[in-house]
Amino acid sequence: SQSLQPGPASPWLKTPRTHEWNLTVERELGRSMVARASYRGYRSTQIPYDSNLNTPPASADPNNINSYRYPNFSEVFYIQDGGIHKMSALDLTLERKFTRGLTFQGGWTLAKNTSDVGDDGEFSYIENPYNRARDMGNVYWSPRNRFVGSVLWDLPLGRGKRVGANLPKIADGVLGGWQITLVSVLQSGQFLTPTYEGDSPHVRANEVQIQNNQLRPDCVGDWHVANASPEHWFNAAAFAVPAPGQYGSC
């Protein structure tokens, strides 16, 4: 793929603004156990994005594909502001404070993270410069579900412990003072967007879109397959090149 190079920018670019909020409720359960539930979110606005101002509007007219706003130029990339990035998340945590040689913590997060200017922040590229809202979708690197757990157990073996309290000093140096630590992360997969190469009928693709496969097809069926495997894990027939003059619906 080819990285997008920033073009000229609007002289009226605004500074991006972010609002964050959160609410947490905790309850002690006894035996050094604490349960916690948190809601957190944020919304960023005025994010810069790039688009090709010379892209003709979608049209069923086959002559429209060569209708340039600036006929003396092939492509006119222009950075402007207005992009939106918003996230909401629920965190549920169960924690045991270090007591009797044992501590653990487990947390599950359910999150929805969306943006209409891609996943890369500044200088992200949108498909249709006349309708940025079409690009609102899940941020691919932010999983919907994520669990993180950790355990630390100070083994009760060695001098002064429940097992081997009277071990000789040499034996205690070998057998005593051991700990077991476990860290586990489980999460759902990344979000993917189907794309295809080349020009859509009467919708002109620019060089960046073609080289980065950024044109989206129509969704015409169910992409799931029975007994999915690494060789065949989605139904390719669920996608089709859009009708003349239209951007894809996926």
Side-chain angles (χ1 to χ4, degrees), residues 95-233:
E95 180 180 357
R96 174 189 165 102
K97 303 298 183 181
F98 192 77
T99 305
R100 296 182 180 180
L102 176 66
T103 180
F104 63 80
Q105 178 173 311
W108 170 68
T109 296
L110 174 65
K112 185 175 183 181
N113 194 4
T114 58
S115 176
D116 63 358
V117 288
D119 310 304
D120 303 320
E122 269 191 58
F123 308 128
S124 291
Y125 184 83
I126 65 171
E127 180 187 48
N128 182 358
Y130 306 96
N131 186 4
R132 193 185 71 242
R134 292 190 72 257
D135 281 51
M136 180 63 75
N138 292 293
V139 175
Y140 81 93
W141 45 260
S142 184
R144 183 77 79 222
N145 292 276
R146 178 179 172 89
F147 172 82
V148 179
S150 63
V151 177
L152 189 150
W153 183 27
D154 190 359
L155 294 178
L157 175 62
R159 302 181 74 175
K161 304 290 184 65
R162 291 199 303 268
V163 179
N166 299 315
L167 277 175
K169 188 173 182 178
I170 295 179
D172 181 64
V174 177
L175 301 176
W178 288 93
Q179 292 180 330
I180 292 178
T181 302
L182 173 67
V183 178
S184 179
V185 177
L186 303 173
Q187 66 183 32
S188 52
Q190 294 181 343
F191 293 97
L192 300 176
T193 297
T195 60
Y196 70 95
E197 298 181 7
D199 283 344
S200 170
H202 315 333
V203 176
R204 180 180 177 275
N206 61 64
E207 181 181 353
V208 172
Q209 287 176 308
I210 293 174
Q211 291 189 2
N212 292 288
N213 302 334
Q214 291 180 337
L215 287 171
R216 302 198 295 267
D218 276 338
C219 289
V220 296
D222 185 1
W223 65 268
H224 296 85
V225 295
N227 304 316
S229 66
E231 292 77 23
H232 184 216
W233 62 275

Side-chain angles (χ1 to χ4, degrees), residues 78-98:
Y78 189 65
I79 297 171
Q80 50 198 316
D81 56 48
I84 299 172
H85 188 172
K86 52 187 178 180
M87 189 274 291
S88 293
L90 172 67
D91 301 312
L92 300 178
T93 304
L94 181 64
E95 180 180 357
R96 174 189 165 102
K97 303 298 183 181
F98 192 77

